[in-house]
Amino acid sequence: MAKITASVYTSHVPAIGAAIDLGKTAEPYWQPLFAGYDYSKQWLKDNKPDVIFLVFNDHATAFSLDMIPTFAIGTAAEYQPADEGWGPRPVPKVFGHPELAAHIAQSVIQQDFDLTIVNKMDVDHGLTVPLSMMCGQPDAWPCPVIPFAVNVVQYPVPSGRRCFELGKAIRKAIESFDQPLNVQIWGTGGMSHQLQGARAGLINKEWDNAFLDRLIADPDGLASQPHIDYVREAGSEGIELVMWLIARGAMADVAGGAAPTLKHRFYHVPASNTAVGHLILENN
């Protein structure tokens, strides 16, 4: 049977992708950020998965604000990098895993979570920047990727509890797939940032690091954090962090297994006007 071996958490700031694409990673402003992912790149090479289940949010490219699903799973064979207004990123296209994606959709819907099935979409920086941070600039991504898009752009957005419970359902779905696949689940977005209004540029280091502490040690308690706390403490775009709870809810300890091993933790400010957080947790 398939199994989830690890979860990865990382911000997906668009300026990070631009820094990579324009060859700026060694510049003094960017170098400390990218140094924080050196361990992660080697870890991924040493722990190469068969499939990555990548939780992200679309930024009005695949979905417009006229029609935006709460949860959407990509079941296509491949996905092109999206043109977000300045041309597609110069990164490889993403190959999917239609068989596992369809199985997860079937299982999760039967567990009473309503998913939108997406058979065709382009993927924006929300998905490609995490891949670049973890993989560098390869000619091809190291394995198939199942995109899982969450609406954290237009209210109402799903609660942390709903995301956490969805992670549990995704774990059950993956573990019932009848091929011996090594699957990693990635949660992306955040950390604290606000892009508009009187609080534009807000970054809350204390709150961000407390979130990382609780994500590791008290995910169930963290899942009960109300939306207003994210908005007040982490800014209007800080709500993206609920997506990390999907990945955390899929880990073995949540279902009674052993606590995960923390392999890497990194936090950096700023990247553009955003705080960057990163964790790698391995199942035991």
Side-chain angles (χ1 to χ4, degrees):
M1 296 297 183
K3 61 180 180 179
I4 294 174
T5 55
S7 54
V8 174
Y9 310 82
T10 184
S11 303
H12 61 214
V13 185
I16 293 175
I20 295 171
D21 301 341
L22 297 174
K24 296 184 176 183
T25 59
E27 292 183 359
Y29 180 86
W30 289 109
Q31 192 278 331
L33 168 68
F34 288 102
Y37 284 77
D38 287 344
Y39 173 91
S40 307
K41 291 177 182 177
Q42 187 59 51
W43 175 87
L44 189 64
K45 290 177 182 178
D46 295 340
N47 297 273
K48 180 178 174 293
D50 298 310
V51 183
I52 294 169
F53 186 96
L54 200 152
V55 184
F56 75 110
N57 66 287
D58 177 73
H59 300 79
T61 52
F63 310 109
S64 75
L65 297 185
D66 294 333
M67 185 178 295
I68 183 167
T70 302
F71 300 117
I73 186 168
T75 55
E78 60 183 56
Y79 309 87
Q80 295 291 340
D83 183 346
E84 300 182 62
W86 48 86
R89 289 191 63 214
V91 296
K93 67 180 175 182
V94 175
F95 289 98
H97 198 296
E99 296 81 10
L100 179 58
H103 172 83
I104 292 171
Q106 167 74 15
S107 175
V108 169
I109 289 171
Q110 290 303 309
Q111 293 179 70
D112 300 326
F113 286 89
D114 297 326
L115 303 185
T116 297
I117 310 302
V118 183
N119 295 313
K120 182 180 180 180
M121 68 172 167
D122 293 343
V123 289
D124 68 15
H125 73 268
L127 184 138
T128 63
V129 166
L131 288 173
S132 294
M133 294 297 286
M134 296 292 295
C135 306
Q137 295 176 287
D139 293 330
W141 301 121
C143 68
V145 177
I146 297 174
F148 191 87
V150 180
N151 171 33
V152 288
V153 174
Q154 180 170 284
Y155 273 84
V157 305
S159 68
R161 175 62 58 187
R162 185 69 169 165
C163 289
F164 190 61
E165 296 299 324
L166 175 57
K168 296 180 184 179
I170 291 168
R171 178 191 56 79
K172 290 181 181 178
I174 289 171
E175 290 181 350
S176 67
F177 189 64
D178 62 355
Q179 293 182 27
L181 296 178
N182 167 0
V183 180
Q184 291 178 9
I185 183 166
W186 293 14
T188 72
M191 296 192 83
S192 62
H193 63 301
Q194 181 153 325
L195 302 180
Q196 70 288 308
R199 297 199 306 164
L202 179 148
I203 289 177
N204 188 337
K205 297 179 184 179
E206 183 178 354
W207 195 89
D208 286 341
N209 279 288
F211 181 93
L212 294 174
D213 291 340
R214 295 188 71 192
L215 189 71
I216 296 165
D218 181 28
D220 186 72
L222 182 59
S224 296
Q225 189 114 32
H227 282 167
I228 191 62
D229 287 2
Y230 289 88
V231 176
R232 181 183 62 247
E233 302 295 339
S236 53
E237 279 70 40
I239 194 62
E240 290 179 350
L241 286 166
V242 297
M243 296 188 292
W244 294 28
L245 287 163
I246 296 177
R248 189 64 181 89
M251 294 296 282
D253 64 316
V254 172
T261 298
L262 173 63
K263 299 299 292 186
H264 187 52
R265 176 172 176 167
F266 175 67
Y267 181 78
H268 177 79
V269 293
S272 184
N273 55 358
T274 305
V276 171
H278 176 40
L279 292 175
I280 297 174
L281 300 178
E282 288 184 355
N283 267 330
N284 291 305

